[in-house]
């Protein structure tokens, strides 16, 4: 399943590269505006910086949420469209803003609590480093879980904001290594994104990556529903027949050779 995911995700990014680059200009513009705003505010207070940062996270997540509708289409072997993106802006304002506020809260908690407990530790109290470790573990787990938030919203349309939040952590704890592996994979994509000035694969490409990964992973739960005798058996739960579950997707993707990427007209 992992090998197929990497292949499909690469193919989806490549096949929609021009559209991704154009769409990635929007989050890049938001990040640039945020940076310019902070730099143009001399001696801004911590409160003002927090407000500007919160507004930035909300706008950015709102845009990524709107892109999520197209990410779902691409993951389902369909073509994206600008019309769908602009239509989704209205529908995703509340969940996008909500996720942005949640990330803002976690960001503020981190930048305040970590330096505080490091100072406690530097003053000779070992409890400080223990709290720093707890905060770092919590943030790591939260980062792994929140990768699934936007995909859950679009792959399971009945999900509300809080259902997405709850299911994100459920998926993480049931697929810990997979979620951590995806975080490492997405960090690698983020490094590539920085090197290409936010355009390839960009934040939208990373969102597509999460969409592809969860779409395939959810086949596991469909299989468990059809085979309830495996559900509560930890050993049998590992016997997921991935080859048969993703057979249709393999057929839809087809055989893609390197020459087909370099010379698509052949």
């Amino acid at each position: 399943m992992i090998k197929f995911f990497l292949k499909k995700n690469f193919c989806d990014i490549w096949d929609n590269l021009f559209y991704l680059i154009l769409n990635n200009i929007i989050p890049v513009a938001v990040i640039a505006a945020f940076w310019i705003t902070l730099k143009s505010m001399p001696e801004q207070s911590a409160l003002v910086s927090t407000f500007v940062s919160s507004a930035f996270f909300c706008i950015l997540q709102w845009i990524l949420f709107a892109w999520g509708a197209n990410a779902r289409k691409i993951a389902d072997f369909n073509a994206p469209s600008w019309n769908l993106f602009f239509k989704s802006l209205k529908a995703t304002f509340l969940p996008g803003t909500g996720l942005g506020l949640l990330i803002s809260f976690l960001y503020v908690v981190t930048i305040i609590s970590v330096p505080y407990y490091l100072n406690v530790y530097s003053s000779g109290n070992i409890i400080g480093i223990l709290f720093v470790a707890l905060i770092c573990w919590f943030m790591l787990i939260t980062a792994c879980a929140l990768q699934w938030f936007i995909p859950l919203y679009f792959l399971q349309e009945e999900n509300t904001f809080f259902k997405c939040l709850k299911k994100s952590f459920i998926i993480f704890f049931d697929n810990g290594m997979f979620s951590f592996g995806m975080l490492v994979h997405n960090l690698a994509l983020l490094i590539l994104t920085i090197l290409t000035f936010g355009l390839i694969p960009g934040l939208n490409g990373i969102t597509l990556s999460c969409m592809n990964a969860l779409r395939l992973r959810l086949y596991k739960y469909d299989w468990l529903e059809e085979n309830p005798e495996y559900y509560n058996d930890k050993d049998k739960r590992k016997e997921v027949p991935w080859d048969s579950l993703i057979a249709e997707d393999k057929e839809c993707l087809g055989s893609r050779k390197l020459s087909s990427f370099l010379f698509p007209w052949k």
Side-chain angles (χ1 to χ4, degrees), residues 2 171-184 217:
I2 303 296
I171 290 173
F172 164 74
F173 285 112
D174 192 41
N175 305 273
M177 289 303 297
F178 178 71
S179 297
F180 180 73
M182 272 301 300
L183 183 65
V184 174
R217 203 65 177 182

Side-chain angles (χ1 to χ4, degrees), residues 4 32 38 53 57 72 86 92 106 132 134 152 168 185 189 197 214 244 246 253 262:
F4 176 72
L38 284 182
S53 299
F57 284 125
R72 166 70 191 274
F86 289 114
T92 59
L106 295 173
V132 170
L134 285 173
L152 277 168
S168 294
H185 174 266
L189 293 184
F197 303 99
L214 186 61
S244 61
I246 63 175
L253 185 63
L262 300 177

Side-chain angles (χ1 to χ4, degrees), residues 2-20 67 71 73-80 185 189 200-201 205 208-209 212 216 249-262 264:
I2 303 296
K3 183 179 178 181
F4 176 72
F5 155 70
L6 293 173
K7 178 181 178 181
K8 182 181 186 303
N9 199 56
F10 178 80
C11 291
D12 285 346
I13 290 175
W14 184 269
D15 292 343
N16 299 279
L17 189 59
F18 183 68
Y19 182 83
L20 268 173
W67 159 256
K73 286 194 71 176
I74 294 173
D76 285 340
F77 300 97
N78 295 312
H185 174 266
L189 293 184
I200 304 172
L208 172 60
S209 174
N212 267 320
L216 294 173
D249 286 82
K250 284 184 175 180
E251 185 178 349
C252 290
L253 185 63
S255 177
R256 302 289 296 271
K257 298 180 180 179
L258 181 61
S259 59
S260 68
F261 298 109
L262 300 177

Side-chain angles (χ1 to χ4, degrees), residues 10-266:
F10 178 80
C11 291
D12 285 346
I13 290 175
W14 184 269
D15 292 343
N16 299 279
L17 189 59
F18 183 68
Y19 182 83
L20 268 173
I21 291 173
L22 290 178
N23 216 290
N24 280 327
I25 292 174
I26 301 175
V28 168
V30 172
I31 294 171
F34 167 69
W35 182 258
I36 293 171
T37 300
L38 284 182
K39 289 296 183 180
S40 63
M41 298 170 60
E43 298 181 0
Q44 67 267 29
S45 67
L47 182 61
V48 172
S49 297
T50 301
F51 176 79
V52 173
S53 299
S54 297
F56 161 70
F57 284 125
C58 289
I59 294 172
L60 187 62
Q61 287 303 317
W62 176 29
I63 291 170
L64 292 179
F65 247 95
W67 159 256
N70 272 317
R72 166 70 191 274
K73 286 194 71 176
I74 294 173
D76 285 340
F77 300 97
N78 295 312
S81 70
W82 284 101
N83 187 44
L84 179 60
F85 172 75
F86 289 114
K87 280 185 177 180
S88 299
L89 282 172
K90 181 179 180 180
T92 59
F93 175 75
L94 288 178
T97 303
L99 183 59
L101 288 173
L102 175 61
I103 293 174
S104 300
F105 173 75
L106 295 173
Y107 168 75
V108 171
V109 168
T110 302
I111 63 173
I112 292 176
S113 60
V114 170
Y116 172 79
Y117 285 114
L118 284 175
N119 287 333
V120 171
Y121 175 68
S122 63
S123 66
N125 193 339
I126 196 173
I127 197 70
I129 200 66
L130 294 177
F131 274 103
V132 170
L134 285 173
I135 293 168
C136 289
W137 273 110
F138 174 76
M139 291 303 171
L140 177 61
I141 291 172
T142 301
C144 287
L146 290 183
Q147 295 176 117
W148 311 127
F149 195 102
I150 295 177
L152 277 168
Y153 185 84
F154 289 97
L155 291 169
Q156 297 180 340
E157 296 179 357
E158 76 280 2
N159 286 338
T160 61
F161 181 90
F162 291 104
K163 275 189 177 180
C164 285
L165 187 60
K166 178 183 176 181
K167 288 185 177 181
S168 294
F169 281 93
I170 290 174
I171 290 173
F172 164 74
F173 285 112
D174 192 41
N175 305 273
M177 289 303 297
F178 178 71
S179 297
F180 180 73
M182 272 301 300
L183 183 65
V184 174
H185 174 266
N186 288 335
L187 287 174
L189 293 184
L190 182 61
I191 292 172
L192 179 59
T193 295
I194 293 171
L195 294 175
T196 57
F197 303 99
L199 298 179
I200 304 172
L203 295 181
N204 289 324
I206 294 173
T207 303
L208 172 60
S209 174
C210 294
M211 189 73 68
N212 267 320
L214 186 61
R215 178 182 173 277
L216 294 173
R217 203 65 177 182
L218 288 178
Y219 287 156
K220 166 185 173 181
Y221 297 98
D222 294 335
W223 175 75
L224 287 173
E225 286 184 6
E226 296 174 359
N227 301 272
E229 66 274 13
Y230 287 82
Y231 199 87
N232 295 317
D233 191 318
K234 291 184 179 180
D235 294 326
K236 288 186 176 181
R237 280 173 67 92
K238 299 177 182 178
E239 301 174 8
V240 182
W242 286 112
D243 287 339
S244 61
L245 293 179
I246 63 175
E248 185 176 345
D249 286 82
K250 284 184 175 180
E251 185 178 349
C252 290
L253 185 63
S255 177
R256 302 289 296 271
K257 298 180 180 179
L258 181 61
S259 59
S260 68
F261 298 109
L262 300 177
F263 310 104
W265 56 87
K266 288 189 176 182

